[in-house]
Amino acid sequence: MRIKNLISLLTILFSFSTNAQDMAEYTSGWEGEMENSKLFNLKVEIRNLGFENASFKIFNNKSIIDYPFGSKSTSILEIPFAENHSFKGALSENGKEINGFIKSGMLLYHIKLTQSGNGTFIGVWNLLMVDGLKSLKFYLSVENGSGNNYEAYPILADNRFTGTWCANFQKKNDSISFVDFKTGLKFKGKLLSQKIQLGIYLGDGLVMQTDLKKSISDWRIGGFTTTINNGDLQLTEMESLILKDSLPNTHAVLISKKGSIIYENYFGGYNPQIPHDMRSASKSISSAIVGIAKDKSLFQNVDQSIFEFLPKDYHINKDSLKSKIDIKSLLTMSSGLDAVDFGIKRKSLASEDNYQPTQDWTKTILQAPMINEPNTHANYGSANPYLLGVAMDSIVAEPLEMFMDKNLFQKLGISNYIVQTDMTGRPYFGGGMYLTPRDMMKFGELYLNKGKLFGNQILSENWIQDSFKNYRVLENTNDKNGYGYLWWHYTYQYNGTSIKSKEARGAGGQYIFVLPKLEMVVVITSGNYRNRKTQQPESILEKYILPYIEN
């Protein structure tokens, strides 16, 4: 009996100690190391396509996912390989590749699987968006710990990965778990004395595990160098200023003239293989998708009301003024909705900050009041292109991302890219695509060449002309820029000459400059998100590039 009582007492004490762990004791910075730099460069394989024993596999140095799907269909593949994770793809006409998307978290990762044998297709999924980590250091910031409550944020020493958006923080006894809803990765940790054992999972499959100890020194993040320089143009003054951090956080500068690259350089560890977060610069790609749909006669004209494309449930918000919101007003930021993202003292009811935290973005936007009649005043706001995405999704016969891939990206030879989604899993037309700078340049070249590239008329010349017109001034911008179909207008001065530019622009300094007079495209990517240097690429173009260009 005494032994039984002793065991019961020990069990109670152990249970009390584990349940009573206070997360305040773990509120700190933690660090460990990854096994190798390629753990998140995952191999994706489809075997035995077209047979009952077909399988979908994901692995690094070990198996992570092995999902049998047994489909006899080889045209459209839909493979739900884990909870909240799926692959959707289409076999090419020649049967030699599969183009599709892995849906993981808020992202659609484009994957091209190439045939490597009878019924076998292989590709690579760079889950963290880089082609290999430059540091094996892994950091975890545990914050606001109290009792069972806490927050935890993984941080890589390689800051070329754009970071996690973690939520759903759970604790049970000595175990913690949370999710990055951006990439879809799950994190599970075991709380030990002076240590956290942390595993990172894709569904139920383990990607990697590491032991974390409390940090005793400052974290070292970034500081990488790059030695890629392509082209004959010399821009030594610009390069010197970038390397001295006088033009901070410049990641890439590319210049093409008459279709040939005359300058290409990368900084801070970036290289041609890394897709860059374009932020709102991808709004101009959204405009191209609308143009392709128009060219295919999927809708009649840009004067059609947005309510012609919306489910009946949303028509409750329709009134005599809102019914005038048409495709053209959304393309030109002149819907009249109270959807201004910046530049005014009050917070707009349909700004990104207001509609993105809600469960139904469309409903929130349409419930906002009108501040102007449509097509009269322009104010920049992401709700406008977001509604365009809802409209395009309603008229294409296939998933919108597949339509985009088949009709734009494949024709431009672009396969290494990522699409951010909204809450429904639909491509977010308000911004957030990831393209490599070289592919951003291809997109700029498409517009410079009036919709034609590689001998193909991908967009009609009429759509390009309409896109580049100056419809009205963006009233909430400091420079009072002119604006086209989701393309900015600006004029630069150098050597006594005025140069007009049509621009795709994104927060942090993501720019595609199309300069028709010079037959030139310039791409600059940056990381200036919180230091008020978003417009730094404009200064780089005017002061350190244009003076060195021969007309």
Side-chain angles (χ1 to χ4, degrees):
M1 284 294 293
R2 288 181 182 177
I3 293 175
K4 263 190 185 179
N5 290 338
L6 181 60
I7 291 173
S8 298
L9 179 60
L10 289 173
T11 301
I12 292 170
L13 288 173
F14 177 77
S15 174
F16 176 80
S17 66
T18 55
N19 281 310
Q21 276 178 322
D22 190 343
M23 287 305 297
E25 299 175 13
Y26 292 86
T27 298
S28 180
W30 298 79
E31 62 184 82
E33 287 203 356
M34 291 174 279
E35 184 180 338
N36 65 67
S37 63
K38 296 286 188 177
L39 284 175
F40 292 93
N41 303 111
L42 307 176
K43 302 292 189 302
V44 180
E45 184 178 82
I46 291 177
R47 289 186 182 176
N48 301 319
L49 182 65
F51 297 94
E52 287 293 346
N53 62 339
S55 62
F56 180 84
K57 300 175 181 289
I58 299 176
F59 53 96
N60 47 24
N61 54 3
K62 60 183 177 300
S63 176
I64 300 171
I65 299 290
D66 190 345
Y67 182 83
F69 63 94
S71 172
K72 291 185 178 180
S73 171
T74 59
S75 54
I76 299 295
L77 303 173
E78 296 190 37
I79 305 171
F81 61 84
E83 184 181 6
N84 300 320
H85 300 270
S86 61
F87 173 80
K88 190 177 295 182
L91 185 66
S92 63
E93 290 184 5
N94 63 13
K96 292 185 178 180
E97 64 183 39
I98 297 172
N99 280 281
F101 295 87
I102 288 181
K103 175 71 169 70
S104 188
M106 294 288 288
L107 301 176
L108 291 165
Y109 296 82
H110 183 266
I111 304 290
K112 181 164 74 173
L113 304 175
T114 305
Q115 189 176 36
S116 67
N118 187 26
T120 299
F121 296 80
I122 296 177
V124 176
W125 174 19
N126 292 330
L127 199 155
L128 299 186
M129 305 159 199
V130 297
D131 55 343
L133 296 169
K134 284 186 171 290
S135 172
L136 297 181
K137 281 289 186 182
F138 183 94
Y139 302 119
L140 182 70
S141 177
V142 179
E143 303 173 8
N144 302 319
S146 177
N148 287 336
N149 299 317
Y150 70 99
E151 296 171 16
Y153 302 100
I155 298 169
L156 298 182
D158 189 337
N159 61 343
R160 300 173 305 163
F161 169 57
T162 56
T164 57
W165 302 343
C166 290
N168 196 24
F169 305 105
Q170 303 286 329
K171 178 180 180 294
K172 184 177 181 180
N173 298 333
D174 62 347
S175 297
I176 59 172
S177 65
F178 50 96
V179 176
D180 173 24
F181 68 88
K182 179 180 178 181
T183 64
L185 288 171
K186 294 180 181 179
F187 297 81
K188 298 178 183 179
K190 190 85 166 176
L191 303 176
L192 303 172
S193 176
Q194 305 299 315
K195 185 168 71 172
I196 299 176
Q197 287 181 343
L198 187 70
I200 304 177
Y201 293 81
L202 186 62
D204 293 326
L206 180 65
V207 179
M208 64 153 280
Q209 186 166 305
T210 185
D211 288 347
L212 305 177
K213 297 183 178 180
K214 281 189 178 181
S215 299
I216 57 175
S217 59
D218 293 338
W219 294 347
R220 295 187 63 182
I221 298 174
F224 311 123
T225 58
T226 311
T227 56
I228 295 173
N229 198 332
N230 182 24
D232 298 326
L233 185 64
Q234 300 296 313
L235 298 175
T236 53
E237 183 181 9
M238 180 197 74
E239 292 170 6
S240 176
L241 291 170
I242 292 172
L243 295 172
K244 290 177 181 176
D245 214 27
S246 297
L247 295 171
N249 303 314
T250 300
H251 297 160
V253 180
L254 287 80
I255 306 168
S256 71
K257 190 170 177 62
K258 297 181 180 180
S260 298
I261 291 179
I262 61 173
Y263 182 86
E264 179 180 18
N265 209 346
Y266 298 83
F267 307 90
Y270 285 81
N271 65 51
Q273 285 74 48
I274 298 176
H276 202 283
D277 187 352
M278 294 176 65
R279 300 292 176 103
S280 287
S282 62
K283 285 179 169 69
S284 301
I285 295 177
S286 302
S287 174
I289 300 303
V290 177
I292 290 170
K294 173 66 173 61
D295 290 342
K296 290 180 174 294
S297 300
L298 297 183
F299 66 97
Q300 295 174 357
N301 57 66
V302 295
D303 300 321
Q304 289 179 255
S305 169
I306 184 62
F307 288 95
E308 294 184 35
F309 305 90
L310 297 179
K312 295 290 185 183
D313 292 349
Y314 295 111
H315 286 219
I316 192 173
N317 300 293
K318 181 180 177 181
D319 57 32
S320 59
L321 194 53
K322 285 183 179 176
S323 66
K324 297 180 182 179
I325 300 173
D326 56 18
I327 297 296
K328 186 174 184 179
S329 70
L330 297 172
L331 286 164
T332 57
M333 297 290 181
S334 55
S335 65
L337 281 164
D338 187 14
V340 186
D341 278 346
F342 58 78
I344 59 174
K345 292 181 180 179
R346 61 179 178 80
K347 180 171 279 192
S348 296
L349 294 179
S351 67
E352 273 192 314
D353 288 344
N354 271 2
Y355 70 76
Q356 287 192 351
T358 66
Q359 289 299 309
D360 190 334
W361 295 6
T362 306
K363 179 181 178 181
T364 303
I365 290 168
L366 292 174
Q367 285 179 338
M370 299 290 284
I371 56 176
N372 294 302
E373 185 170 337
N375 290 305
T376 59
H377 295 269
N379 283 282
Y380 187 91
S382 295
N384 294 286
Y386 165 74
L387 289 176
L388 287 173
V390 177
M392 294 304 102
D393 189 46
S394 74
I395 60 175
V396 300
E398 58 205 306
L400 183 55
E401 64 271 18
M402 300 295 284
F403 177 86
M404 295 163 62
D405 185 58
K406 181 172 67 178
N407 294 289
L408 179 65
F409 294 112
Q410 285 189 39
K411 291 184 177 182
L412 292 176
I414 295 173
S415 62
N416 181 17
Y417 70 95
I418 302 161
V419 179
Q420 186 177 318
T421 68
D422 62 18
M423 294 295 288
T424 70
R426 174 176 49 224
Y428 178 50
F429 270 36
M433 291 191 65
Y434 295 70
L435 263 68
T436 68
R438 286 182 180 176
D439 290 339
M440 292 169 69
M441 176 157 284
K442 288 180 187 176
F443 183 70
E445 293 279 357
L446 176 68
Y447 274 74
L448 181 67
N449 295 325
K450 301 179 181 179
K452 192 172 186 178
L453 204 65
F454 307 135
N456 298 320
Q457 194 72 43
I458 299 169
L459 267 170
S460 67
E461 186 172 340
N462 286 339
W463 184 261
I464 301 296
Q465 290 173 348
D466 289 344
S467 297
F468 276 179
K469 287 179 182 175
N470 187 354
Y471 291 93
R472 51 190 58 86
V473 166
L474 289 174
E475 297 177 7
N476 62 326
T477 60
N478 292 331
D479 295 328
K480 298 296 183 279
N481 300 81
Y483 205 68
Y485 284 179
L486 303 181
W487 282 90
W488 295 72
H489 287 231
Y490 198 61
T491 301
Y492 296 90
Q493 307 292 332
Y494 81 103
N495 297 340
T497 303
S498 295
I499 296 295
K500 291 184 178 180
S501 176
K502 311 301 188 295
E503 300 169 5
R505 293 186 179 186
Q510 326 312 327
Y511 277 69
I512 304 173
F513 302 90
V514 179
L515 307 161
K517 184 176 179 179
L518 297 175
E519 298 181 84
M520 196 165 84
V521 175
V522 178
V523 170
I524 298 178
T525 59
S526 322
N528 290 309
Y529 299 109
R530 297 177 183 86
N531 58 4
R532 299 189 178 184
K533 293 185 180 293
T534 280
Q535 293 178 262
Q536 179 176 273
E538 297 169 41
S539 176
I540 292 175
L541 177 68
E542 188 168 56
K543 295 180 180 178
Y544 306 110
I545 294 177
L546 289 178
Y548 297 91
I549 300 298
E550 295 182 7
N551 291 336

